[in-house]
Amino acid sequence: MDPKTDEDVLDAVGPRLRALRRDRGITLAELSATTGVSESTLSRLEGGERRASLELLLPLARTYDVPLDDLVGAPRTGDPRIHLKPIRRFGMTFVPLSRRPGGVHAFKMIIPAQPEPLEPTPQTHEGFEWLYVLSGRLRLVTGERDLTLPPGEAAEFDTSLPHWLGSADGGVVELLILFGLQGIRAHVRTDPHRSSQTGSRR
């Protein structure tokens, strides 16, 4: 099979961007508002009428939270290994454990030690999250619930509720996280009587 030329790679960018946007359930108008790129430019880029450039791809990579080379490079084949690139956010470290552009994303999350436990600062965003504590004691605030989870415990919650994760005692906490778009849920059932809008503890 002939190796792909630069033209082949560029021609594949548009369809890849369109598939990624549809997988995420994002409209062109929403993507334009997030990236600052006009709807017409995004539409032409996805349709192959506009060539991809670094100026256009960088805000898209940030919005989709994927490496730039995932937007322009040929799909990886044959090698099942995931090249881990830790991401630092909000003072915590996230290690991606999956690389699919859509669906559920898996992360290892590391909350560093603090001289004193931090005060919760709950945030909201679209999606659904499942977590499992590997080590340390996790403090999980979700809605009106304030829970402490030791190693081996799991929880799942709707991230449109105000929520916050931190160390319960100031020590290091390591956990696994599965995060999906709104409507995608990990198949964990802990309390048959709980509301679907309430976080749970296993």
Side-chain angles (χ1 to χ4, degrees), residues 16-156:
R16 186 177 298 119
L17 290 174
R18 180 184 288 114
L20 184 56
R21 178 175 60 80
R22 289 177 176 174
D23 283 345
R24 299 293 179 89
I26 301 173
T27 67
L28 281 172
E30 291 169 337
L31 187 59
S32 176
T34 303
T35 61
V37 180
S38 70
E39 286 186 57
S40 61
T41 297
L42 292 170
S43 179
R44 287 161 48 213
L45 183 61
E46 290 185 356
E49 301 167 21
R50 174 74 181 263
R51 281 298 190 193
S53 67
L54 194 59
E55 182 181 7
L56 294 174
L57 293 177
L58 280 175
L60 289 170
R62 284 194 294 267
T63 297
Y64 291 134
D65 194 20
V66 297
L68 186 62
D69 55 4
D70 280 5
L71 297 183
V72 299
R76 304 178 184 93
T77 58
D79 187 352
R81 292 173 298 179
I82 298 173
H83 300 283
L84 307 179
K85 296 180 181 179
I87 302 167
R88 293 276 299 174
R89 286 183 180 169
F90 316 115
M92 297 177 284
T93 301
F94 296 82
V95 182
L97 302 178
S98 61
R99 62 189 184 199
R100 291 181 61 237
V104 176
H105 291 257
F107 297 89
K108 179 179 180 181
M109 177 177 170
I110 303 170
I111 301 173
Q114 301 286 343
E116 296 181 1
L118 299 177
E119 286 299 315
T121 53
Q123 305 290 331
T124 64
H125 55 85
E126 289 299 311
F128 202 88
E129 195 164 294
W130 178 92
L131 59 84
Y132 178 85
V133 182
L134 295 170
S135 64
R137 292 172 58 80
L138 176 72
R139 183 180 179 187
L140 170 63
V141 177
T142 175
E144 297 181 354
R145 293 192 175 188
D146 191 336
L147 306 173
T148 297
L149 281 68
E153 288 206 323
E156 59 171 346

